[in-house]
Amino acid sequence: MDTQGIALAPGNHAFIAIKRTLYENHVPPWGVCQDLQLEYYDTYTLPACYLECRANHIAANCSCRPYFLPGTAPLCDPTNISTCVRTVVGKVISGELKCDCPVPCSMTKYSTSVSYGGWPNKNTRDYIVSTYGKTRDYMKENGVVFSVFYEQLSYQKVRELKAMDTGQLASNIGGMMGLFIGASVLSILEVWEYLWQRLKGFLGKHRRPKIVQVQAVPDEKNGGIYNAAFHK
């Protein structure tokens, strides 16, 4: 239903359980919520905004308004409702006529669940007949009883939070700076060790070896060559 109402059939006792949910959204730049000032409603809600938008489109195109929509335009007669009003409502539903209704920054939603019981029962029927002079068949076709209660005594609250607040941002920046500084010190030490090892290898490769001159003389006693370097 347009106003989020509940249709109850006559001849029943309806038990309506209500559950309350609160929504809190962030304003720009963290969110996209916005609370507009409505013309015919004190509190901004999405259903109220859509109803007012629909009423404005109908008043602008049909010069009247249905009895179930807000506004100051004169009421539409049945002929206008079945022709012009129906056409305009179809265009609004299809999106041809736009409604600027952003998400509210705070919203309360009531979800319902309905169960039914037989009515009237024997005792109720006798009381109605004796008090109001109505028959059971009349009350079954024209009367309805409903009881409204909270499904739970608590309610649910849904909040839209920032992905990162100021404290978390400062903590992350400090952690990343500590990580990068530590990595830079280790890298400098590793580069210094690598250069030192290369320098040591370069100096060792170009060091001149010690040359020992050995002169062989004939060995007349043994009939060979006497090498003084091997006979010390």
Side-chain angles (χ1 to χ4, degrees):
M1 300 178 66
D2 290 340
T3 57
Q4 296 184 350
I6 301 173
L8 302 178
N12 292 286
H13 187 176
F15 299 89
I16 306 173
I18 298 178
K19 184 179 180 181
R20 185 184 181 190
T21 305
L22 301 180
Y23 295 91
E24 292 184 359
N25 302 311
H26 263 302
V27 298
W30 303 281
V32 293
C33 74
Q34 185 180 2
D35 289 332
L36 300 180
Q37 181 64 43
L38 300 180
E39 186 176 357
Y40 304 111
Y41 295 93
D42 296 332
T43 304
Y44 175 75
T45 60
L46 284 178
C49 181
Y50 285 125
L51 290 177
E52 189 171 294
C53 174
R54 187 174 299 184
N56 292 334
H57 283 305
I58 293 175
N61 291 274
C62 304
S63 301
C64 63
R65 65 175 179 88
Y67 67 92
F68 52 84
L69 291 179
T72 57
L75 295 178
C76 298
D77 55 33
T79 303
N80 286 334
I81 292 178
S82 61
T83 55
C84 181
V85 172
R86 180 176 295 181
T87 302
V88 173
V89 171
K91 292 182 179 180
V92 173
I93 295 175
S94 63
E96 185 176 350
L97 296 176
K98 302 297 183 180
C99 288
D100 183 16
C101 295
V103 178
C105 295
S106 61
M107 179 175 57
T108 303
K109 182 179 180 181
Y110 294 93
S111 57
T112 59
S113 59
V114 185
S115 59
Y116 294 92
W119 185 87
N121 55 26
K122 182 178 181 301
N123 296 328
T124 306
R125 177 189 60 193
D126 297 339
Y127 174 79
I128 292 174
V129 171
S130 61
T131 304
Y132 300 101
K134 302 297 183 181
T135 63
R136 178 184 178 184
D137 294 336
Y138 177 85
M139 295 304 300
K140 188 174 182 179
E141 294 177 357
N142 299 277
V144 61
V145 176
F146 61 91
S147 302
V148 182
F149 58 93
Y150 277 107
E151 181 179 355
Q152 297 177 351
L153 296 180
S154 59
Y155 64 90
Q156 184 179 7
K157 188 174 185 179
V158 181
R159 297 182 60 189
E160 185 180 27
L161 302 177
K162 300 176 184 177
M164 183 180 300
D165 56 16
T166 306
Q168 292 176 340
L169 178 61
S171 177
N172 290 341
I173 293 176
M176 297 300 293
M177 290 180 61
L179 176 62
F180 288 142
I181 291 175
S184 300
V185 173
L186 292 177
S187 300
I188 292 173
L189 294 177
E190 291 176 355
V191 171
W192 180 84
E193 183 180 5
Y194 171 75
L195 295 177
W196 174 248
Q197 295 295 336
R198 291 298 299 258
L199 180 62
K200 288 173 59 178
F202 178 79
L203 294 177
K205 184 184 297 185
H206 291 78
R207 184 180 297 175
R208 297 181 60 184
K210 182 179 181 181
I211 300 176
V212 179
Q213 295 183 356
V214 179
Q215 184 177 4
V217 295
D219 188 1
E220 297 178 354
K221 182 178 180 179
N222 298 322
I225 299 175
Y226 177 76
N227 193 342
F230 296 99
H231 292 83
K232 290 185 178 180

